[in-house]
Amino acid sequence: MIKNLIKPSTGLIFLITIVLLGSRLFAGQSENTPVIHLDQTTHTFPTAFEGEQLSHSFKIINRGTADLEILDVTHT
Amino acid sequence: MTRYDRVIPPGGTGQITLGIDTSKEIDEFQKKAIVWSNDPQEERIALFLKGEVKPHISLVPGGYLSLQGIRRQVPVEKLEIINNHKQPLKITAVIHDLPDQIQWRLKENIPGFSYTLEVEAISTKAGDFSGHLVVQTDLTQKPELVIIVNGYIEEN
């Protein structure tokens, strides 16, 4: 009698646990994303003479919860 | 030249460094770069570099002279040489490869900063010619300016 009472409840708990774990895992996947942020996207250099090498560094911030990967930087 | 951090952890910062070779640019320029990332909301972001590149020495109206006309009546052609630096320069020599066709005079408008180069056709024969005038300066960044000279001399 006791065995019969335990068996269904154990099965139910197991099922609930699986559902909860699954939903948490799924929720975690959607929350853990990178978020790219740049304070500045345009830079204007002061007037330069021909032949000078000019360079500028843009700061990137990852405001997300997963690694931000810079896949490529292309020029147009 | 482009350098960038490949992976930036959550809350972290990184850099994208873009470079410009100004020997390939003149006047105003604008360069665009696209940053591709794994951010699902913003997979691409455009970055812009803007500026202006000046020559060390300007030739006005340009580095080309055309001497055209009837023999012994060819108008004198002029061009202005302008030093764009704050420090004065010296023109140390003017040489050319057209000894029988042209002669030149250099006038100093503003010493060290502005000169007028006058070129005159002295050819005694009708016909076309082409050559170079080289203006040499003491400016380290621009020791030579090459001016193309073309002549079209007609018979009377």
Side-chain angles (χ1 to χ4, degrees):
Chain A
M1 174 75 178
I2 294 170
K3 275 184 181 178
N4 287 341
L5 278 172
I6 290 171
K7 268 188 181 173
S9 62
T10 308
L12 190 64
I13 289 165
F14 180 73
L15 190 66
I16 290 166
T17 306
I18 291 295
V19 169
L20 283 174
L21 277 175
S23 64
R24 188 172 176 134
L25 197 67
F26 186 75
Q29 276 179 351
S30 64
E31 283 169 14
N32 285 335
T33 56
V35 177
I36 190 168
H37 175 81
L38 287 104
D39 288 332
Q40 172 204 40
T41 54
T42 299
H43 175 76
T44 304
F45 292 105
T47 302
F49 280 110
E50 59 179 324
E52 284 181 35
Q53 296 294 320
L54 303 177
S55 71
H56 178 74
S57 296
F58 292 91
K59 186 179 172 186
I60 320 162
I61 302 165
N62 179 4
R63 289 184 169 171
T65 52
D67 279 351
L68 173 67
E69 291 173 34
I70 304 300
L71 306 172
D72 200 5
V73 178
T74 56
H75 299 269
T76 57
Chain B
M1 179 267 294
T2 302
R3 291 194 310 269
Y4 55 94
D5 294 312
R6 309 266 164 181
V7 180
I8 301 157
T13 60
Q15 282 190 336
I16 296 176
T17 303
L18 303 175
I20 298 262
D21 179 3
T22 60
S23 62
K24 294 172 185 168
E25 307 294 336
I26 199 75
D27 295 329
E28 290 186 0
F29 67 85
Q30 177 172 295
K31 294 283 177 186
K32 183 181 178 184
I34 304 285
V35 180
W36 301 85
S37 77
N38 65 335
D39 178 347
Q41 300 298 314
E42 210 157 14
E43 289 178 347
R44 45 180 287 173
I45 289 182
L47 300 179
F48 298 92
L49 291 179
K50 295 179 182 177
E52 185 182 359
V53 176
K54 280 201 299 188
H56 297 284
I57 300 170
S58 300
L59 296 172
V60 180
Y64 176 85
L65 284 174
S66 179
L67 300 163
Q68 196 166 1
I70 297 166
R71 188 165 57 99
R72 298 183 200 280
Q73 298 171 39
V74 180
V76 172
E77 290 294 327
K78 300 175 184 179
L79 63 80
E80 200 174 349
I81 300 166
I82 300 165
N83 172 15
N84 292 318
H85 283 263
K86 288 180 180 171
Q87 292 75 32
L89 61 74
K90 282 182 187 166
I91 292 181
T92 52
V94 179
I95 53 174
H96 64 87
D97 54 5
L98 297 166
D100 299 327
Q101 283 89 18
I102 65 164
Q103 64 181 24
W104 59 269
R105 286 180 295 279
L106 190 67
K107 291 183 178 175
E108 202 175 46
N109 305 322
I110 304 169
F113 294 96
S114 172
Y115 299 85
T116 299
L117 181 68
E118 295 184 352
V119 181
E120 181 182 4
I122 57 165
S123 179
T124 53
K125 298 174 192 170
D128 299 345
F129 60 83
S130 186
H132 301 88
L133 255 167
V134 179
V135 178
Q136 295 178 337
T137 80
D138 67 345
L139 190 67
T140 318
Q141 301 95 325
K142 199 74 180 175
E144 277 193 356
L145 298 158
V146 179
I147 298 157
I148 297 166
V149 181
N150 285 329
Y152 310 94
I153 313 301
E154 298 167 33
E155 235 359 297
N156 289 341

